[in-house]
Amino acid sequence: MIKDFEKRDKNGLTEEEFLENYRKKNYPRPYLTADIVLFDPKADKILLIKRKGHPFLGRYALPGGFACQDESIEETAKRELREETSVKISELFPVGLYSKPGRDPRGWVVSQAFLAFADSSEIEISAGDDADGAAWFDILYDGDAPAFVKLGETGEKLSLKDSLSFDHGEILTDALKKAKHIRKDKEYV
């Protein structure tokens, strides 16, 4: 029986020989990020950060950022949430993978979005890293669909369709739909 490492492909190469000649540069690679929707279902609030740098300087966004090679995407999500808001979470629920061309002006950026639950009255938030601020926003609905978020302190109102950075309005809408299904199965917070 031929062992896997001895098998030869159509070009007569073993796996080891193939890997020696493999040219990663022949295949474009996206940047990988994680975005987190931290949702308080009791108060109908979500946590947003204000961006400290470009792109979308000064606009609100979901906490998140770029993955490191030595961590899973779930670890990226938890690390970015902690770095940008000082919030630590243990349980994440996948929302979806977002890869639409042009979703990020920095280039080909693919993001795995996650949903997490928390009680906003029991969490102390503090902006850090590349966040210029972090705050809880009330969710405002148009019928059954989330349409806006509003900062409780100032009443600042943001459209999910066009006020948030990147495609975060779309991610937030998808996450809130998912939250309804998760809450039917389990009671969180």
Side-chain angles (χ1 to χ4, degrees), residues 20-144:
E20 283 175 19
N21 295 314
Y22 183 75
R23 294 194 183 358
K24 292 180 183 178
K25 68 179 182 185
N26 290 344
Y27 302 96
R29 293 178 303 275
Y31 299 105
L32 181 61
T33 63
D35 290 307
I36 306 92
V37 175
L38 188 59
F39 176 53
D40 179 347
K42 289 182 180 177
D44 221 10
K45 294 177 181 280
I46 56 114
L47 183 64
L48 295 176
I49 60 132
K50 186 177 265 191
R51 291 188 51 80
K52 190 187 281 187
H54 292 294
F56 303 106
L57 174 68
R59 286 182 60 183
Y60 284 99
L62 296 170
F66 289 94
C68 296
Q69 287 184 338
D70 63 345
E71 64 187 4
S72 71
I73 197 65
E74 292 84 2
E75 290 168 331
T76 297
K78 291 176 182 180
R79 175 182 53 77
E80 285 290 337
L81 181 64
R82 186 180 62 255
E83 287 176 359
E84 292 183 348
T85 67
S86 299
V87 175
K88 294 179 184 176
I89 51 155
S90 57
E91 193 166 22
L92 292 169
F93 299 91
V95 173
L97 188 69
Y98 295 81
S99 61
K100 187 182 202 178
R103 65 176 297 275
D104 188 318
R106 295 172 289 194
W108 186 15
V109 179
V110 174
S111 187
Q112 173 63 52
F114 292 97
L115 172 66
F117 296 91
D119 183 339
S120 59
S121 67
E122 295 180 5
I123 291 180
E124 216 174 292
I125 56 174
S126 175
D129 194 28
D130 54 358
D132 195 30
W136 289 99
F137 281 75
D138 297 315
I139 301 164
L140 305 175
Y141 294 86
D142 183 7
D144 288 339

Side-chain angles (χ1 to χ4, degrees), residues 2 15 18 20 25 27 36 38 63 72 74 76 92 96 109 139 144 148-149 164 166 170 172-173 180 187 189:
I2 298 175
E15 185 173 303
F18 166 79
E20 283 175 19
K25 68 179 182 185
Y27 302 96
I36 306 92
L38 188 59
S72 71
E74 292 84 2
T76 297
L92 292 169
V109 179
I139 301 164
D144 288 339
F148 299 92
V149 290
L164 298 181
F166 310 102
E170 178 184 347
L172 180 54
T173 300
K180 287 182 183 181
E187 184 58 38
V189 184

Side-chain angles (χ1 to χ4, degrees), residues 141-162:
Y141 294 86
D142 183 7
D144 288 339
F148 299 92
V149 290
K150 183 179 81 167
L151 183 58
E153 300 162 4
T154 65
E156 183 177 2
K157 191 172 167 182
L158 307 170
S159 163
L160 294 188
K161 186 175 179 180
D162 55 15

